[in-house]
Amino acid sequence: MDAVADDPGGAALAYFEEHLAKRSASALRFAVRAARYDLVYRIRRKLAEVERLYLEELMATRDAVEGLTAFIAKRPPVWEDR
């Protein structure tokens, strides 16, 4: 059903009462996990790649080290653009 409700919270509660309240909480929990499985998988993969990019590539640059060093020393960074 596609509809715009004047009271979305009330509409959500009404939907819950009509369709979900009588269902098994355990079964609903697994249904939510199954519905989100692909999203969670893609997020975990992308986070792993971003972490690798940060740790292995960005942190291997002089500017990354300079930025952290300058921050700790409370001084402006001197960038080498490398």
Coordinates of all heavy atoms in Angstrom, one line a residue:
M1 N 0.8 -1.2 0.0 CA 0.0 0.0 0.0 C 0.9 1.2 0.0 O 1.8 1.4 0.8 CB -0.9 0.0 1.2 CG -1.6 1.3 1.5 SD -2.8 1.2 2.8 CE -1.8 1.8 4.1
D2 N 0.7 2.1 -0.9 CA 1.4 3.4 -1.0 C 0.4 4.5 -0.6 O -0.7 4.7 -1.3 CB 1.9 3.7 -2.4 CG 3.0 2.7 -2.8 OD1 3.7 2.2 -1.8 OD2 3.2 2.4 -3.9
A3 N 0.7 5.3 0.4 CA -0.1 6.4 0.8 C 0.7 7.4 1.6 O 1.7 7.0 2.2 CB -1.3 5.8 1.7
V4 N 0.2 8.6 1.6 CA 0.8 9.6 2.5 C -0.2 9.9 3.6 O -1.4 10.1 3.4 CB 1.0 10.9 1.6 CG1 1.5 12.0 2.5 CG2 1.9 10.7 0.5
A5 N 0.4 9.8 4.8 CA -0.5 9.9 6.0 C -0.3 11.3 6.7 O 0.9 11.8 6.7 CB -0.2 8.8 7.0
D6 N -1.3 11.9 7.2 CA -1.2 13.1 7.9 C -0.4 12.9 9.2 O 0.2 13.8 9.7 CB -2.6 13.7 8.2 CG -3.3 14.2 7.0 OD1 -2.6 14.6 6.0 OD2 -4.5 14.2 7.0
D7 N -0.6 11.7 9.8 CA 0.1 11.3 11.0 C 0.9 10.0 10.7 O 0.4 8.9 11.0 CB -0.9 11.1 12.1 CG -0.3 10.6 13.4 OD1 0.9 10.7 13.6 OD2 -1.1 10.2 14.3
P8 N 2.1 10.2 10.3 CA 2.9 9.0 9.9 C 3.2 8.1 11.1 O 3.1 6.8 11.0 CB 4.3 9.6 9.4 CG 4.0 11.0 9.1 CD 2.9 11.4 9.9
G9 N 3.4 8.6 12.3 CA 3.6 7.8 13.5 C 2.3 7.0 13.8 O 2.4 5.8 14.1
G10 N 1.2 7.6 13.7 CA -0.1 6.9 13.9 C -0.3 5.8 12.9 O -0.8 4.7 13.2
A11 N 0.0 6.1 11.6 CA -0.1 5.2 10.5 C 0.8 4.0 10.7 O 0.4 2.8 10.5 CB 0.1 5.8 9.2
A12 N 2.0 4.2 11.2 CA 2.9 3.1 11.5 C 2.4 2.2 12.6 O 2.5 1.0 12.5 CB 4.3 3.7 11.8
L13 N 1.9 2.9 13.6 CA 1.4 2.1 14.7 C 0.1 1.2 14.3 O 0.0 0.1 14.7 CB 1.0 3.0 15.9 CG 2.2 3.5 16.7 CD1 1.7 4.5 17.7 CD2 2.9 2.4 17.4
A14 N -0.7 1.8 13.5 CA -1.9 1.1 13.0 C -1.4 0.0 12.1 O -2.0 -1.1 12.2 CB -2.8 2.1 12.2
Y15 N -0.4 0.2 11.3 CA 0.1 -0.9 10.4 C 0.6 -2.0 11.3 O 0.4 -3.2 11.1 CB 1.2 -0.4 9.5 CG 1.7 -1.5 8.6 CD1 1.1 -1.7 7.3 CD2 2.8 -2.3 8.9 CE1 1.5 -2.7 6.5 CE2 3.2 -3.3 8.1 CZ 2.6 -3.5 6.9 OH 3.1 -4.5 6.1
F16 N 1.4 -1.6 12.3 CA 2.0 -2.6 13.2 C 0.9 -3.4 13.9 O 0.9 -4.7 13.9 CB 2.8 -1.9 14.3 CG 3.3 -2.9 15.3 CD1 4.4 -3.7 15.1 CD2 2.7 -3.0 16.6 CE1 4.9 -4.6 16.0 CE2 3.1 -4.0 17.5 CZ 4.2 -4.7 17.2
E17 N -0.1 -2.8 14.4 CA -1.2 -3.5 15.1 C -2.0 -4.4 14.1 O -2.3 -5.5 14.5 CB -2.2 -2.5 15.7 CG -1.7 -1.7 16.9 CD -1.4 -2.7 18.1 OE1 -2.1 -3.7 18.3 OE2 -0.4 -2.3 18.8
E18 N -2.2 -4.0 12.9 CA -3.0 -4.8 12.0 C -2.2 -6.0 11.4 O -2.7 -7.0 11.2 CB -3.4 -3.9 10.8 CG -4.3 -4.7 9.8 CD -4.8 -3.8 8.7 OE1 -4.8 -2.5 8.8 OE2 -5.3 -4.3 7.7
H19 N -0.9 -5.7 11.1 CA -0.1 -6.8 10.4 C 1.0 -7.5 11.2 O 1.4 -8.6 10.8 CB 0.6 -6.1 9.2 CG -0.4 -5.6 8.2 ND1 -1.2 -6.3 7.4 CD2 -0.8 -4.3 8.0 CE1 -2.0 -5.6 6.6 NE2 -1.8 -4.3 7.0
L20 N 1.5 -6.8 12.2 CA 2.7 -7.4 12.9 C 2.6 -7.8 14.3 O 3.2 -8.7 14.8 CB 3.9 -6.4 12.8 CG 4.2 -6.0 11.3 CD1 5.3 -4.9 11.4 CD2 4.7 -7.1 10.5
A21 N 1.7 -7.2 15.1 CA 1.6 -7.4 16.5 C 1.3 -8.8 16.9 O 1.8 -9.3 17.9 CB 0.5 -6.5 17.1
K22 N 0.6 -9.6 16.1 CA 0.3 -10.9 16.4 C 1.3 -11.9 15.9 O 1.2 -13.1 16.1 CB -1.1 -11.3 15.8 CG -2.2 -10.4 16.4 CD -3.5 -10.7 15.7 CE -4.6 -9.8 16.3 NZ -5.1 -8.8 15.4
R23 N 2.3 -11.5 15.2 CA 3.4 -12.4 14.7 C 4.4 -12.6 15.8 O 4.6 -11.9 16.8 CB 4.1 -11.7 13.5 CG 3.1 -11.3 12.4 CD 2.6 -12.5 11.7 NE 1.7 -12.0 10.6 CZ 0.5 -12.5 10.3 NH1 0.0 -13.4 11.0 NH2 -0.2 -12.0 9.3
S24 N 5.2 -13.7 15.5 CA 6.3 -14.0 16.4 C 7.4 -13.0 16.4 O 7.9 -12.6 15.3 CB 6.9 -15.4 16.0 OG 8.2 -15.6 16.5
A25 N 7.8 -12.5 17.5 CA 8.9 -11.5 17.6 C 10.2 -12.1 17.0 O 10.9 -11.4 16.3 CB 9.1 -11.0 19.0
S26 N 10.4 -13.3 17.3 CA 11.6 -14.0 16.8 C 11.6 -14.1 15.3 O 12.6 -13.8 14.6 CB 11.7 -15.4 17.4 OG 12.8 -16.1 17.0
A27 N 10.5 -14.4 14.7 CA 10.3 -14.5 13.3 C 10.5 -13.2 12.6 O 11.2 -13.0 11.6 CB 9.0 -15.2 12.9
L28 N 9.9 -12.1 13.2 CA 10.1 -10.8 12.7 C 11.5 -10.3 12.8 O 12.0 -9.7 11.8 CB 9.2 -9.8 13.5 CG 7.7 -10.0 13.3 CD1 6.9 -9.1 14.2 CD2 7.3 -9.7 11.8
R29 N 12.2 -10.7 13.8 CA 13.6 -10.3 14.0 C 14.4 -10.9 12.8 O 15.3 -10.2 12.2 CB 14.1 -10.8 15.3 CG 15.3 -10.0 15.9 CD 15.6 -10.3 17.3 NE 15.2 -11.5 17.9 CZ 14.1 -11.6 18.8 NH1 13.4 -10.6 19.1 NH2 13.8 -12.8 19.3
F30 N 14.2 -12.2 12.5 CA 14.9 -12.8 11.4 C 14.5 -12.2 10.1 O 15.3 -12.1 9.1 CB 14.7 -14.3 11.5 CG 15.6 -15.0 12.4 CD1 15.2 -15.3 13.7 CD2 16.9 -15.3 12.1 CE1 16.0 -15.8 14.7 CE2 17.8 -15.8 13.0 CZ 17.3 -16.1 14.3
A31 N 13.2 -11.9 9.9 CA 12.8 -11.3 8.7 C 13.5 -9.9 8.4 O 13.9 -9.6 7.3 CB 11.2 -11.1 8.7
V32 N 13.6 -9.2 9.5 CA 14.3 -7.9 9.4 C 15.8 -8.1 9.0 O 16.4 -7.5 8.1 CB 14.2 -7.0 10.7 CG1 15.2 -5.9 10.6 CG2 12.8 -6.6 10.9
R33 N 16.4 -9.1 9.6 CA 17.8 -9.4 9.3 C 18.0 -9.8 7.8 O 18.9 -9.4 7.1 CB 18.4 -10.5 10.2 CG 18.8 -10.0 11.5 CD 19.3 -11.2 12.4 NE 20.5 -11.8 11.8 CZ 21.0 -13.0 12.4 NH1 20.5 -13.5 13.5 NH2 22.0 -13.5 11.8
A34 N 17.0 -10.7 7.4 CA 17.0 -11.1 6.0 C 16.8 -10.0 5.0 O 17.5 -9.8 4.0 CB 16.0 -12.2 5.8
A35 N 15.9 -9.1 5.4 CA 15.7 -7.9 4.5 C 16.8 -7.0 4.4 O 17.1 -6.3 3.4 CB 14.4 -7.2 5.0
R36 N 17.6 -6.9 5.5 CA 18.7 -6.0 5.5 C 20.1 -6.6 5.1 O 21.1 -6.0 5.1 CB 18.9 -5.4 6.9 CG 17.7 -4.5 7.3 CD 17.9 -3.9 8.7 NE 16.9 -3.0 9.0 CZ 16.6 -2.6 10.2 NH1 17.4 -2.9 11.2 NH2 15.7 -1.7 10.5
Y37 N 20.0 -7.9 4.9 CA 21.3 -8.7 4.6 C 22.2 -8.0 3.6 O 23.3 -7.8 3.8 CB 20.9 -10.1 4.3 CG 22.2 -11.0 4.1 CD1 22.8 -11.5 5.2 CD2 22.7 -11.2 2.8 CE1 24.0 -12.2 5.1 CE2 23.9 -11.9 2.7 CZ 24.5 -12.4 3.8 OH 25.7 -13.1 3.6
D38 N 21.6 -7.7 2.4 CA 22.4 -7.2 1.3 C 23.0 -5.9 1.7 O 24.2 -5.6 1.4 CB 21.6 -7.1 0.0 CG 22.4 -6.7 -1.1 OD1 23.4 -7.4 -1.5 OD2 22.1 -5.6 -1.7
L39 N 22.2 -5.0 2.3 CA 22.7 -3.7 2.7 C 23.9 -3.8 3.7 O 24.9 -3.2 3.6 CB 21.6 -2.9 3.4 CG 22.0 -1.5 4.0 CD1 22.5 -0.6 2.9 CD2 20.8 -0.9 4.7
V40 N 23.7 -4.7 4.7 CA 24.7 -4.9 5.7 C 26.0 -5.4 5.1 O 27.1 -5.0 5.4 CB 24.2 -5.8 6.9 CG1 25.4 -6.2 7.8 CG2 23.1 -5.1 7.6
Y41 N 25.8 -6.4 4.2 CA 27.0 -7.0 3.5 C 27.7 -5.9 2.7 O 29.0 -5.8 2.8 CB 26.5 -8.1 2.5 CG 27.6 -8.7 1.6 CD1 28.5 -9.6 2.2 CD2 27.7 -8.3 0.3 CE1 29.5 -10.1 1.4 CE2 28.7 -8.8 -0.5 CZ 29.6 -9.7 0.0 OH 30.5 -10.2 -0.8
R42 N 27.0 -5.1 1.9 CA 27.7 -4.0 1.1 C 28.3 -3.0 2.0 O 29.5 -2.5 1.7 CB 26.7 -3.3 0.2 CG 26.3 -4.3 -1.0 CD 25.3 -3.6 -1.9 NE 24.0 -3.4 -1.3 CZ 23.3 -2.3 -1.4 NH1 23.6 -1.3 -2.1 NH2 22.1 -2.2 -0.7
I43 N 27.7 -2.6 3.1 CA 28.3 -1.6 4.0 C 29.6 -2.2 4.6 O 30.6 -1.5 4.7 CB 27.3 -1.2 5.1 CG1 26.2 -0.3 4.5 CG2 28.0 -0.5 6.3 CD1 25.1 0.0 5.5
R44 N 29.6 -3.4 5.1 CA 30.8 -4.0 5.7 C 31.9 -4.1 4.7 O 33.1 -3.8 5.0 CB 30.5 -5.4 6.2 CG 29.7 -5.3 7.5 CD 29.5 -6.7 8.1 NE 28.8 -6.6 9.4 CZ 28.1 -7.5 9.9 NH1 27.9 -8.6 9.3 NH2 27.5 -7.3 11.1
R45 N 31.6 -4.5 3.4 CA 32.6 -4.5 2.4 C 33.2 -3.1 2.1 O 34.4 -3.0 2.0 CB 32.0 -5.1 1.1 CG 32.7 -6.4 0.7 CD 32.2 -7.0 -0.6 NE 32.1 -6.0 -1.7 CZ 31.3 -6.1 -2.6 NH1 30.4 -7.1 -2.7 NH2 31.2 -5.2 -3.6
K46 N 32.4 -2.1 2.0 CA 32.8 -0.8 1.7 C 33.6 -0.2 2.9 O 34.6 0.4 2.7 CB 31.7 0.1 1.3 CG 31.1 -0.2 0.0 CD 30.1 0.8 -0.5 CE 29.6 0.5 -1.9 NZ 28.8 1.5 -2.4
L47 N 33.2 -0.5 4.1 CA 33.9 0.0 5.3 C 35.3 -0.6 5.3 O 36.3 0.0 5.6 CB 33.2 -0.3 6.6 CG 32.1 0.6 6.9 CD1 31.3 0.1 8.2 CD2 32.5 2.0 7.1
A48 N 35.4 -1.9 5.0 CA 36.7 -2.6 4.9 C 37.6 -1.9 3.9 O 38.8 -1.7 4.1 CB 36.6 -4.1 4.6
E49 N 37.1 -1.6 2.7 CA 37.9 -1.0 1.7 C 38.3 0.4 2.1 O 39.4 0.9 1.8 CB 37.1 -1.0 0.3 CG 37.8 -0.3 -0.8 CD 39.2 -0.8 -1.1 OE1 39.4 -2.0 -0.8 OE2 40.0 -0.1 -1.7
V50 N 37.4 1.2 2.7 CA 37.7 2.5 3.1 C 38.8 2.5 4.2 O 39.7 3.3 4.2 CB 36.5 3.3 3.6 CG1 36.8 4.6 4.3 CG2 35.5 3.6 2.4
E51 N 38.7 1.5 5.1 CA 39.7 1.4 6.1 C 41.1 1.1 5.5 O 42.1 1.6 5.9 CB 39.3 0.3 7.1 CG 40.3 0.1 8.3 CD 39.9 -0.9 9.2 OE1 39.3 -2.0 8.8 OE2 40.2 -0.8 10.4
R52 N 41.1 0.2 4.6 CA 42.3 -0.2 3.9 C 42.9 1.0 3.2 O 44.1 1.3 3.3 CB 42.1 -1.3 2.9 CG 43.4 -1.8 2.2 CD 43.2 -2.4 0.9 NE 42.7 -1.5 -0.1 CZ 43.4 -0.5 -0.7 NH1 44.6 -0.3 -0.4 NH2 42.8 0.2 -1.6
L53 N 42.1 1.8 2.5 CA 42.5 3.0 1.8 C 43.1 4.0 2.8 O 44.2 4.5 2.5 CB 41.3 3.6 1.1 CG 41.5 4.9 0.3 CD1 42.4 4.7 -0.9 CD2 40.2 5.6 0.0
Y54 N 42.5 4.2 3.9 CA 43.0 5.1 4.9 C 44.3 4.6 5.5 O 45.3 5.4 5.5 CB 41.9 5.2 6.0 CG 42.4 6.1 7.2 CD1 42.4 7.4 7.2 CD2 42.9 5.4 8.4 CE1 42.8 8.2 8.2 CE2 43.3 6.2 9.4 CZ 43.3 7.6 9.4 OH 43.7 8.3 10.4
L55 N 44.3 3.4 5.9 CA 45.5 2.9 6.6 C 46.7 2.6 5.7 O 47.8 3.0 6.0 CB 45.2 1.6 7.4 CG 44.3 1.7 8.6 CD1 43.9 0.4 9.1 CD2 44.9 2.6 9.6
E56 N 46.5 2.0 4.5 CA 47.6 1.7 3.7 C 48.0 2.7 2.7 O 49.1 2.8 2.2 CB 47.2 0.4 2.9 CG 47.1 -0.8 3.8 CD 46.6 -2.1 3.1 OE1 46.7 -2.1 1.9 OE2 46.2 -3.0 3.8
E57 N 47.0 3.6 2.3 CA 47.4 4.6 1.3 C 47.5 6.0 1.8 O 48.5 6.6 1.7 CB 46.4 4.5 0.1 CG 46.4 3.2 -0.6 CD 45.5 3.2 -1.8 OE1 45.4 4.2 -2.6 OE2 44.9 2.1 -2.1
L58 N 46.4 6.5 2.5 CA 46.5 7.8 3.0 C 47.6 8.0 4.1 O 48.4 8.9 4.0 CB 45.1 8.3 3.6 CG 45.1 9.6 4.3 CD1 45.5 10.7 3.3 CD2 43.8 9.9 4.9
M59 N 47.6 7.1 5.0 CA 48.5 7.2 6.1 C 50.0 6.9 5.7 O 50.9 7.2 6.5 CB 48.1 6.2 7.3 CG 46.8 6.7 7.9 SD 46.7 8.4 8.4 CE 48.0 8.6 9.5
A60 N 50.2 6.5 4.5 CA 51.5 6.3 3.9 C 52.1 7.6 3.3 O 53.2 7.7 3.0 CB 51.6 5.2 2.9
T61 N 51.2 8.6 3.3 CA 51.7 9.9 2.7 C 52.3 10.8 3.8 O 52.0 10.7 5.0 CB 50.5 10.7 2.1 OG1 49.6 11.1 3.1 CG2 49.8 9.9 1.1
R62 N 53.2 11.6 3.4 CA 53.9 12.5 4.4 C 52.9 13.5 4.9 O 53.0 13.9 6.1 CB 55.0 13.3 3.7 CG 56.2 12.4 3.3 CD 57.3 13.2 2.7 NE 58.4 12.3 2.3 CZ 59.5 12.8 1.7 NH1 59.6 14.0 1.5 NH2 60.4 11.9 1.4
D63 N 51.9 14.0 4.1 CA 51.0 15.0 4.6 C 50.1 14.4 5.7 O 49.7 15.2 6.6 CB 50.1 15.5 3.4 CG 50.9 16.6 2.6 OD1 52.0 17.0 3.0 OD2 50.3 17.0 1.6
A64 N 49.7 13.2 5.6 CA 48.9 12.6 6.6 C 49.6 12.6 8.0 O 49.1 13.0 9.0 CB 48.4 11.2 6.2
V65 N 50.8 12.2 7.9 CA 51.7 12.1 9.1 C 51.9 13.6 9.6 O 51.8 13.8 10.8 CB 53.0 11.4 8.9 CG1 53.9 11.5 10.1 CG2 52.7 10.0 8.5
E66 N 52.1 14.5 8.7 CA 52.3 15.9 9.1 C 51.1 16.5 9.8 O 51.1 17.2 10.7 CB 52.7 16.7 7.9 CG 52.7 18.2 8.1 CD 53.6 18.7 9.2 OE1 54.5 18.0 9.7 OE2 53.5 19.9 9.7
G67 N 49.9 16.2 9.2 CA 48.7 16.7 9.8 C 48.5 16.2 11.2 O 48.1 17.0 12.1
L68 N 48.7 14.9 11.4 CA 48.5 14.4 12.8 C 49.6 15.0 13.7 O 49.3 15.3 14.9 CB 48.6 12.9 12.8 CG 47.5 12.1 12.1 CD1 47.8 10.7 11.9 CD2 46.2 12.4 12.9
T69 N 50.8 15.0 13.3 CA 51.9 15.6 14.1 C 51.6 17.0 14.4 O 51.8 17.5 15.6 CB 53.2 15.5 13.4 OG1 53.5 14.1 13.0 CG2 54.4 15.9 14.2
A70 N 51.2 17.8 13.5 CA 50.9 19.2 13.7 C 49.7 19.4 14.7 O 49.7 20.2 15.6 CB 50.6 19.9 12.4
F71 N 48.7 18.5 14.5 CA 47.6 18.6 15.4 C 48.0 18.3 16.9 O 47.6 19.0 17.8 CB 46.5 17.6 15.0 CG 45.3 17.5 15.9 CD1 44.3 18.4 15.9 CD2 45.2 16.5 16.9 CE1 43.2 18.4 16.7 CE2 44.2 16.4 17.7 CZ 43.2 17.3 17.7
I72 N 48.8 17.3 17.1 CA 49.3 16.9 18.4 C 50.1 18.0 19.0 O 50.0 18.4 20.2 CB 50.0 15.6 18.4 CG1 49.0 14.4 18.1 CG2 50.7 15.3 19.7 CD1 49.6 13.1 17.8
A73 N 51.0 18.6 18.1 CA 51.9 19.7 18.6 C 51.1 21.1 18.7 O 51.7 22.1 19.1 CB 53.0 19.8 17.6
K74 N 49.9 21.1 18.3 CA 49.0 22.3 18.3 C 49.7 23.4 17.5 O 49.8 24.6 17.9 CB 48.8 22.8 19.7 CG 47.9 21.8 20.5 CD 47.7 22.3 21.9 CE 46.7 21.6 22.7 NZ 46.6 20.3 22.9
R75 N 50.1 23.1 16.3 CA 50.7 24.0 15.4 C 50.1 23.8 14.0 O 49.6 22.8 13.7 CB 52.3 23.8 15.3 CG 52.7 22.5 14.7 CD 54.2 22.4 14.4 NE 54.6 21.1 14.0 CZ 54.4 20.5 12.8 NH1 53.8 21.2 11.9 NH2 54.8 19.3 12.6
P76 N 50.3 24.8 13.1 CA 49.7 24.7 11.8 C 50.6 23.7 11.0 O 51.8 23.6 11.1 CB 49.9 26.1 11.1 CG 50.3 27.0 12.2 CD 50.8 26.2 13.4
P77 N 49.9 22.9 10.2 CA 50.7 21.9 9.4 C 51.5 22.6 8.2 O 51.1 23.6 7.8 CB 49.6 21.0 8.8 CG 48.4 21.8 8.8 CD 48.5 22.8 9.9
V78 N 52.6 22.0 7.9 CA 53.4 22.4 6.7 C 53.2 21.3 5.7 O 53.9 20.2 5.8 CB 54.8 22.6 7.1 CG1 55.7 23.1 5.9 CG2 54.9 23.6 8.3
W79 N 52.4 21.5 4.7 CA 52.1 20.5 3.7 C 53.2 20.4 2.7 O 53.7 21.4 2.2 CB 50.8 20.8 3.0 CG 49.6 21.0 3.9 CD1 48.8 22.1 4.0 CD2 49.1 20.0 4.8 NE1 47.8 21.9 4.9 CE2 47.9 20.6 5.5 CE3 49.4 18.8 5.2 CZ2 47.2 20.0 6.4 CZ3 48.7 18.1 6.2 CH2 47.6 18.7 6.8
E80 N 53.5 19.2 2.3 CA 54.4 18.9 1.1 C 53.7 18.4 -0.1 O 54.3 18.2 -1.1 CB 55.4 17.8 1.6 CG 56.3 18.2 2.7 CD 57.3 17.1 3.1 OE1 57.7 16.3 2.2 OE2 57.7 17.0 4.2
D81 N 52.4 18.3 0.0 CA 51.6 17.7 -1.1 C 52.1 16.4 -1.5 O 52.0 16.1 -2.7 CB 51.5 18.7 -2.2 CG 50.8 20.0 -1.8 OD1 49.9 20.0 -1.0 OD2 51.2 21.1 -2.2
R82 N 52.5 15.6 -0.6 CA 52.9 14.2 -0.9 C 52.5 13.3 0.2 O 52.3 13.5 1.3 CB 54.5 14.1 -1.0 CG 55.0 15.2 -1.9 CD 56.4 14.9 -2.4 NE 57.5 15.4 -1.7 CZ 58.7 14.8 -1.6 NH1 58.8 13.5 -2.0 NH2 59.7 15.3 -1.1

